[in-house]
């Protein structure tokens, strides 16, 4: 599924310890790629690394908050001597749900910094090296939330819209170098972060994807950028891209009220 010569010998997974990130790690290790896994909590990081090593690959773990302003330098400290053919930027679930005008500016900024600032700095750093070697891939994990503004998570939705549009432009540029770019759009997916957020995933009729399935789908479509909507959500993405925007926004708002917890996250 994953061509070692194109995307190896090393892959970096920013947010590579839990949920979809852990699934990427298992699948890439199974394809023989060596891994650099980045996350904050040491236990899931060590567990995912141990699982990946069972495939006989080398794994470096980097316990790091990607919001640290020196994150790129720290990542470079581990990766500068490695030939990185794949960057997966997975970290980025919403960390702050609140009405904008009364919200905490610092917490909103952190959502922007993780999903935009850090994502851009890693994509530029590793993208430049891939352009030089004329092969590789950049996979950014996006969200259906990025197709339509939503109350309480307006900042998160907007960062995911940014990511998707950015990925399209980057795809156009990087194809000149033979480097693949994919924005992998997820709908609701059963990850530890979702469980911690208290979202109600057992709603009748709700399409809930499993991490292994969407990670597998993403890797299988790495060369089919710039955007792939995973988990059977293509129609939902098309619907949310339509008009009139007021009707669509209000309709989605009603649907998400059933899913989101009442309190701030
Ligand atoms: N789950 C869903 O329903 C859903 C739906 C649509 C889109 N998505 C997208 O899918 C991606 C994965 O989401 P997720 O639900 O698995 O949650 P997540 O909180 O983004 O966690 C994913 C991974 O990133 C790491 N991480 C998170 N924040 C980090 C930080 N500041 N620094 C370093 N590592 C960090 C986590 O480990 P640590 O916490 O230990 O750092 C974990 O390994 C996100 O981009 C999200 O927007 C998810």
């Amino acid at each position: 599924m994953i061509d070692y010569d194109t995307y190896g010998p090393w892959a970096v997974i920013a947010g590579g310890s839990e949920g979809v990130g852990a699934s990427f790690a298992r699948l890439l290790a199974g394809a023989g790629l060596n891994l650099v896994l980045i996350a904050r909590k040491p236990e899931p990081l060590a567990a995912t690394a141990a699982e990946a090593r069972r495939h006989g690959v080398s794994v470096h773990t980097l316990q790091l908050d990607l919001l640290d302003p020196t994150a790129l330098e720290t990542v470079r400290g581990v990766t500068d001597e490695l030939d990185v053919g794949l960057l997966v930027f997975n970290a980025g679930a919403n960390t702050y749900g609140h009405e904008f005008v009364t919200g905490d500016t610092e917490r909103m900024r952190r959502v922007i910094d993780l999903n935009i600032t850090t994502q851009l700095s890693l994509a530029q750093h590793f993208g430049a090296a891939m352009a030089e070697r004329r092969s590789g891939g950049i996979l950014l994990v996006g969200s259906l939330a990025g197709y339509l503004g939503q109350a309480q998570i307006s900042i998160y939705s907007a960062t995911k819209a940014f990511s998707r549009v950015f990925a399209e432009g980057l795809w156009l540029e990087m194809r000149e170098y033979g480097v693949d770019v994919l924005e992998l759009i997820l709908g609701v997916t059963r990850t530890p972060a979702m469980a911690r957020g208290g979202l109600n995933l057992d709603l009748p009729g709700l399409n809930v994807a499993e991490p292994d399935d969407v990670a597998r789908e993403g890797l299988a479509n790495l060369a089919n950028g710039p955007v792939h909507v995973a988990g059977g959500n293509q129609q939902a993405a098309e619907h949310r891209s339509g008009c009139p925007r007021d009707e669509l926004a209000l309709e989605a708002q009603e649907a998400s009220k059933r899913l989101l917890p009442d309190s701030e996250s």
Side-chain angles (χ1 to χ4, degrees), residues 57-128:
V57 301
S58 298
V59 181
H60 295 320
T61 56
L62 191 50
Q63 192 191 336
L64 168 72
D65 188 342
L66 288 160
L67 282 165
D68 187 315
T70 60
L72 177 60
E73 285 100 278
T74 309
V75 172
R76 286 192 60 175
V78 174
T79 58
D80 268 3
E81 302 304 314
L82 307 176
D83 183 9
V84 175
L86 180 64
L87 169 67
V88 176
F89 198 96
N90 173 62
N94 192 36
T95 50
Y96 185 53
H98 204 284
E99 175 188 74
F100 175 68
V101 290
T102 52
D104 178 334
T105 312
E106 178 53 27
R107 292 188 70 184
M108 290 189 280
R109 194 184 58 75
R110 288 206 283 269
V111 176
I112 294 169
D113 281 350
L114 181 59
N115 279 295
I116 298 182
T117 316
T118 308
Q119 176 172 283
L120 290 184
S121 72
L122 293 195
Q124 187 180 42
H125 172 69
F126 289 109

Side-chain angles (χ1 to χ4, degrees), residues 139-194:
L139 190 158
L140 309 176
V141 179
S143 173
L144 262 191
Y147 282 84
L148 191 60
Q150 279 173 266
Q152 306 294 321
I153 59 165
S154 60
I155 299 295
Y156 172 71
S157 304
T159 64
K160 291 298 186 183
F162 176 98
S163 179
R164 179 167 51 90
V165 175
F166 165 67
E168 289 173 354
L170 188 65
W171 176 81
L172 284 169
E173 293 175 0
M174 297 301 275
R175 66 202 301 260
E176 304 294 327
Y177 298 104
V179 175
D180 296 320
V181 175
L182 181 73
E183 174 90 358
L184 177 67
I185 304 293
L186 305 188
V188 180
T189 308
R190 202 180 306 279
T191 62
M194 288 295 272

